[in-house]
C-alpha cells in the first residue's frame, strides 16, 4: 500500500473576510495549493471538502463548490465531510484513505467556513449543533457556556486555574504575532488576559473573552499524493501515524474534566508511530478555549490529571520550551473558521517541518503532533507528521 503524503498547501488570512461565500474563500486557496505542489488541476483524482455550515449559509452542497471556484476541477469527483470542529481533519483523513485504498494518486483537500456574515447570536446557536441539543441546547452562553461548565467542574476538582488559563491565552497571542495568517495579531500579555475588564469580560464564567477563540472566516487547502508521485515533487510531509477516536456526545454521560477520547487518540497515534512525546519538536493543538488546551496537556501525556497547569507555569509549552504548543498562535490567535481549522493545523505543521514557517519557525523541527477535535472532545484526531524529503 502506498502511503499518502502532503505535497503542497495554501492558507488564506483568517478573520473577517470580504469574500462573500465559502466558494469565494475556496477560490483563494485552491490554485495556490496546486501551484505550491507543482500539480495541474487535470491530475487531481478526488476532492475532499470540509465545511460545517449548519446554517451559516443557505447554499449547501459544498463539495461541488470547489468545481465552481476553479473551473479546471468541475468534473473531478468531490465529496463534502462534516464532523463539527474536526470537519477539516475528517476531510483530510478521507482523502488519505482514498489514496491509500488505491482509488486515486492525487487528492485535493479544502477546508473553509464563512462565519461572520450573520449575527453573533445566530452563530452561537449554529455552533450548538456540535453539542447534544436534547440536553445542552439551553446552556447559557452557547458553546462557550459548555466549556465554561467544563472549566467550572475542572476547577471544583483540581482548584482554580484561571491564572494559568490566562498564561495559555497570553502565550498563544504572543506566538500569533509571528503568524501572517492570524486573525488577531496582538500580544495582550498576561495581566490583560488575567484581569476582568470592559475589554475582557466574562463570557461564560470562569472563561473570559481572552479564553475563547475567535469567530472567523477563512480557508486552507492541502494537496496529497501517493509516495511514488510525491517522490518526483519538490516537498513531501509524511504521516508517521494517525488516529481518529470518538467519545460519547452527551456531556452527562462522561467525565468532562478529562478528554478520554483525546487521550486514547494520542496514546494510539504515538504507539502506532513508535514514538513518544520526547520525539516531537512541537504540537499544534485545538485551543478553542484555553481550558481545552490545559486538559489536552494532560490527554497527550505532558502532565497527570489535574496537573496541566504545571505545563504552562514551567514553560514547557512555550515556543522555546521542551515541547512548544501552538507556535502558530493556535485557534486562540489564528482564528477558528470551523471547516478550515483541521486543514489549517496540518498546513501550519507542514510549514514548520519544511522550514517554511518564517518568523513562526521552531528551529530544527523534524516531527510534529497535530490534535484537532470536534465538539467537546467527541471526535478526536491525532496526526504524527515528519518530513519525507
Amino acid at each position: 500500500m502506498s502511503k499518502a503524503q502532503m505535497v503542497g498547501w495554501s492558507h488564506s488570512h483568517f478573520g473577517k473576510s470580504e469574500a462573500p461565500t465559502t466558494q469565494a474563500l475556496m477560490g483563494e486557496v485552491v490554485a495556490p495549493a496546486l501551484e505550491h505542489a507543482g500539480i495541474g488541476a487535470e491530475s487531481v483524482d478526488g476532492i475532499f471538502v470540509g465545511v460545517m455550515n449548519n446554517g451559516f449559509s443557505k447554499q449547501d452542497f459544498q463539495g461541488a463548490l470547489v468545481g465552481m471556484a476553479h473551473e479546471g476541477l468541475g468534473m473531478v469527483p468531490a465529496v463534502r465531510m462534516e464532523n463539527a470542529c474536526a470537519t477539516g481533519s475528517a476531510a483530510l483523513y478521507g482523502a488519505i484513505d482514498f489514496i491509500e485504498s488505491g482509488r486515486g494518486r492525487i487528492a485535493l483537500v479544502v477546508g473553509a467556513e464563512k462565519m461572520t456574515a450573520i449575527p453573533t447570536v445566530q452563530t452561537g446557536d449554529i455552533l450548538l449543533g456540535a453539542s447534544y441539543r436534547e440536553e445542552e441546547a439551553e446552556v447559557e452562553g452557547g458553546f462557550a457556556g459548555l466549556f465554561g461548565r467544563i472549566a467550572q467542574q475542572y476547577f471544583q476538582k483540581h482548584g482554580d486555574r484561571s491564572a494559568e488559563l490566562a498564561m495559555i491565552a497570553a502565550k498563544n497571542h504572543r506566538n500569533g504575532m509571528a503568524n501572517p495568517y492570524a486573525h488577531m495579531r496582538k500580544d495582550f500579555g498576561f495581566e490583560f488576559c488575567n484581569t476582568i475588564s470592559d475589554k475582557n469580560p466574562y463570557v461564560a464564567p470562569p472563561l473570559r473573552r481572552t479564553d475563547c477563540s475567535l469567530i472567523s472566516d477563512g480557508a486552507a487547502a492541502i494537496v496529497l499524493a501517493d509516495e511514488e508521485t510525491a517522490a518526483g515533487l519538490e516537498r513531501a510531509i509524511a504521516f508517521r501515524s494517525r488516529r481518529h477516536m470518538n467519545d460519547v456526545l452527551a456531556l452527562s454521560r462522561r467525565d468532562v474534566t478529562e478528554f478520554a477520547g483525546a487521550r486514547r487518540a494520542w496514546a494510539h497515534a504515538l504507539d502506532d508511530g513508535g514514538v513518544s512525546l520526547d520525539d516531537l519538536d512541537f504540537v499544534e493543538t485545538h485551543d478553542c478555549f484555553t481550558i481545552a488546551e490545559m486538559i489536552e496537556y494532560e490527554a497527550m501525556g505532558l502532565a497527570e490529571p489535574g496537573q496541566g497547569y504545571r505545563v504552562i507555569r514551567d514553560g514547557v509549552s512555550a515556543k522555546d520550551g521542551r515541547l512548544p504548543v501552538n507556535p502558530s498562535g493556535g485557534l486562540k490567535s489564528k482564528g477558528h473558521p470551523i471547516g478550515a481549522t483541521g486543514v489549517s493545523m496540518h498546513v501550519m505543521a507542514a510549514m514548520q517541518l519544511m522550514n517554511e514557517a518564517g518568523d513562526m519557525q521552531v528551529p530544527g523541527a523534524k516531527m510534529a503532533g497535530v490534535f484537532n477535535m470536534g465538539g467537546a472532545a467527541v471526535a478526536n484526531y491525532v496526526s504524527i507528521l515528519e518530513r519525507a524529503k
Side-chain angles (χ1 to χ4, degrees):
M1 178 179 68
S2 182
K3 294 288 188 177
Q5 299 180 345
M6 292 189 284
V7 297
W9 44 83
S10 177
H11 200 292
S12 78
H13 182 266
F14 282 5
K16 186 174 175 60
S17 173
E18 293 183 2
T21 62
T22 52
Q23 178 182 326
L25 288 166
M26 293 172 186
E28 294 179 9
V29 297
V30 169
L34 293 172
E35 182 179 357
H36 191 244
I39 287 173
E42 70 282 355
S43 298
V44 177
D45 298 312
I47 299 170
F48 293 78
V49 175
V51 178
M52 179 181 170
N53 197 8
N54 195 37
F56 285 124
S57 169
K58 289 185 178 180
Q59 173 65 61
D60 217 23
F61 201 8
Q62 297 276 333
L65 293 181
V66 175
M68 297 296 295
H70 190 296
E71 62 180 16
L73 297 170
M75 304 296 285
V76 180
V79 65
R80 177 268 196 96
M81 305 284 198
E82 183 278 315
N83 216 7
C85 305
T87 287
S89 290
L92 177 62
Y93 279 31
I96 295 171
D97 291 342
F98 171 75
I99 289 174
E100 295 184 353
S101 70
R103 292 173 54 216
R105 302 193 68 178
I106 295 174
L108 173 65
V109 181
V110 186
E113 210 75 62
K114 178 71 180 181
M115 301 176 70
T116 67
I118 60 175
T120 301
V121 172
Q122 189 177 346
T123 297
D125 184 63
I126 287 171
L127 294 177
L128 269 177
S131 70
Y132 186 52
R133 281 190 179 271
E134 186 171 317
E135 296 179 1
E136 299 157 9
E138 302 306 318
V139 172
E140 187 175 351
F143 224 74
L146 290 178
F147 272 87
R149 285 188 177 184
I150 291 171
Q152 288 171 6
Q153 292 184 41
Y154 185 92
F155 287 3
Q156 288 168 5
K157 190 173 183 179
H158 300 299
D160 189 329
R161 296 302 173 194
S162 295
E164 287 81 8
L165 297 189
M167 294 174 73
I168 289 172
K171 167 185 70 74
N172 289 345
H173 277 291
R174 185 168 59 251
N175 288 350
M177 290 285 290
N179 188 344
Y181 305 108
H183 184 158
M184 183 69 73
R185 298 181 71 188
K186 185 172 183 179
D187 186 356
F188 287 104
F190 169 73
E191 289 301 330
F192 179 85
C193 294
N194 196 44
T195 303
I196 302 301
S197 66
D198 289 342
K199 293 185 177 180
N200 190 32
Y202 280 122
V203 174
L207 301 181
R208 301 143 295 196
R209 181 175 291 164
T210 49
D211 292 308
C212 306
S213 60
L214 301 157
I215 295 171
S216 310
D217 308 326
I222 292 172
V223 180
L224 293 168
D226 61 18
E227 289 172 294
E228 293 76 16
T229 303
L233 299 174
E234 183 177 346
R235 56 182 62 79
I237 301 297
F239 290 78
R240 188 180 182 101
S241 61
R242 60 186 175 99
R243 276 286 183 147
H244 168 204
M245 305 291 289
N246 261 49
D247 206 340
V248 178
L249 176 60
L251 298 183
S252 65
R253 303 184 192 179
R254 55 191 170 103
D255 182 352
V256 298
T257 66
E258 62 167 315
F259 291 173
R263 182 181 295 276
R264 291 196 303 273
W266 269 106
H268 283 295
L270 291 170
D271 185 60
D272 292 347
V275 297
S276 70
L277 290 180
D278 291 335
D279 296 304
L280 302 183
D281 296 297
F282 69 94
V283 166
E284 287 288 335
T285 200
H286 192 105
D287 60 320
C288 51
F289 301 93
T290 52
I291 186 62
E293 180 166 328
M294 181 176 288
I295 298 175
E296 286 157 21
Y297 291 159
E298 300 168 13
M300 72 176 75
L302 273 179
E304 294 298 317
Q307 300 297 304
Y309 75 96
R310 294 183 180 274
V311 175
I312 188 68
R313 278 222 168 262
D314 295 345
V316 172
S317 58
K319 188 174 179 181
D320 59 354
R322 178 166 63 87
L323 184 61
V325 176
N326 287 333
S328 70
L331 284 57
K332 185 68 207 64
S333 173
K334 177 162 57 76
H336 185 22
I338 305 297
T341 288
V343 182
S344 166
M345 297 173 82
H346 285 83
V347 169
M348 292 292 112
M351 291 171 64
Q352 292 279 0
L353 297 175
M354 287 301 303
N355 197 32
E356 296 176 356
D359 292 339
M360 293 185 288
Q361 189 65 50
V362 174
K366 293 181 175 60
M367 188 175 295
V370 176
F371 172 71
N372 181 208
M373 71 181 183
V378 177
N380 303 279
Y381 292 79
V382 174
S383 302
I384 306 299
L385 305 176
E386 60 185 352
R387 184 170 176 172
K389 66 175 296 185

